[in-house]
Amino acid sequence: MTTAVTGIARQAVHIRFLGDFEMTVNGVPVRSWRAGKARGLFQYLVIHRGQTLTRDRLYEALWPGSARPAGDSSLKVAAHALRRVLDAHPDSPRESGIRLHYRDFGYALDIAELWSDVDRFQELAEAGLRAASSGDRVPARELLRSAADLYTGEFLRGERADWVAEHREFLRSLALHALDVLRADAAEREDFPDLIEVCRRTLGIDRHHEETYRALMTAHGRRGEHACVRRWYELCARRLREDLAVAPSRETDRLLHAMLPTRAPVPRGWAASLGAAASARFGPLTGAPVRPASVTAGPPRTPGAMVGAIRSPGAGAGAGAGAGARAGAGASARPASRAGVPGGRPPSMTAAPPPAPVTATVPKTVASARAVPPGAGARRTGSAVGGPGPTTAAPSAATAVPPCSAPPGAVAARSAGTPAAGGPPGSRPRPTRRTRADARAGTPATGTRAASRRPTSAPGLGPPVRTP
C-alpha cells in the first residue's frame, strides 16, 4: 500500500477505475466531460494506451450493435470534446502530458505520467502469485495483501458496455485468485482473524463462492462454534438457491455433517425412568403402545360370564355364577393381545362373532326350583312331561321366579293338585277342598276350582244347590 501511495504522489494524472470512476490532473479533479461519448472514449483509450485503435473497433466499443451510416462523424465529435476537456492536442499539450493522436485509420493516446489503480493492482497481484508459486510465502503474502487493498470495487461500476463487462470479469478472477492464496495461508497458520478478513473480502466480490463458505465452516467448527457452522451453511444454500437456482455441492454437505456433532443415541430404557404412569401412557420405545389399565384389566367378558354376573349379583355362588365362570374361563385362559383381540387390531376393525342365544327355563313351581341343586351349571332340563330338552343354564334358587309372577297354568295346576308342567314326575297331587254337596253326593273333586263351582245334583236330592 505504501508503494501505491508513493506512486500517486509522483504522477500528474491519477485515475481510479475500481469502483466509481475518478480522475485528477495535477491534483485538480475532472468533473465535466461535456456531452456525448468523450468519457467513454477516454476510458477505452487509457486501458489500451500505447496502441492505435481503429475507428471500427472504437465504434464497436462505444456504439455496439448499431448500424454506422456512411460519413458518420460521431467519433470525431467525441474526440474533439475530449481534447477540449484535457487540452490533449498533440501540438500543444498541457502540463498533464496527455496527447491524443489521430491517424488515418484510428486514434492513439499517450500519457507521460499516469497512475492507475487497475495497473497497480495487476502488477501487485501477478507478482504475489509468482512469489507464492515459488514458495516465498512472506513476500507473496505482502504483495497479495497490497493487491487486495486496491480492489475496492468492480471495474467501472455502473457501466454496461460489453468491453467493460469483459475487463471487469478478468479483474474479478485475478482478485479471487489472490484471495484464495491468502485464505489458504491464513488457514495453515491458524490465524483466525486474518482468515475471517480474507473471507469477508472474498464474499464482497463473489457472494456465491462456496470454497469461502467451507473455509468459514471449518474455522468455526474447529473452535466449537457449531451454531456459526450451521448459519454459514444456510446462508450459502439460500443464496445459491435464490440467485442461481442450484444446491450446495456434495463437498459442502459432507463438511456440514463432519463439523456438527453426532446426536447421541437414545437409551432403550428411557421410558422406565419416567415412572409407571408415563410408561403406561406412552409405552416402551420400540413396541406397540400400551393400553390403559382400565381397558385391559381382567379377562375379556363373554356372554356367559355377563349373564352369570347379572343373575347372581350378590353371593356369586349359584348356577348362573358357575355357568358364567366356566363359560368365560376358556376366553380368559387365552392371553390378551395388544388391542384385546387376536391379530392386534382394534375391536372396531375385528368382526366379533354373534353372541350365543341364552335360554333359561322358567320354573313352573317353587318345588321345581328347589329340586335343582345349587351350582349344577349347564344341564339338560326336561320338558313339561319330563322329556329331553335343550341344554340351558339352570337358574339358581336365589333367582327363581316368585309365585306372584308364575303363569296361570301353574296356579291352575296347584289348585287342582295335579303335577305342574315341568315338575318332577311321580309327585303326589295336593287334595283340594270339596263342597258339602259334593261330599253328601259322594262326587269326587273335579280337580279345578272352577269345576267345584258348577251346580251339582244327585238323584233324589231335589234341585241343584250352588255353593258360595
Side-chain angles (χ1 to χ4, degrees), residues 75-98:
L75 184 58
K76 289 182 179 180
V77 173
H80 179 70
L82 179 60
R83 284 193 179 101
R84 294 187 61 181
V85 171
L86 303 176
D87 288 336
H89 199 278
D91 298 332
S92 57
R94 294 184 60 179
E95 297 178 356
S96 62
I98 301 175

Side-chain angles (χ1 to χ4, degrees), residues 125-141 143-144 181:
E126 292 172 356
L129 293 176
R130 287 193 299 267
S133 61
S134 62
D136 299 334
R137 297 179 58 181
V138 176
R141 187 185 309 136
L143 292 171
L144 294 176
V181 176

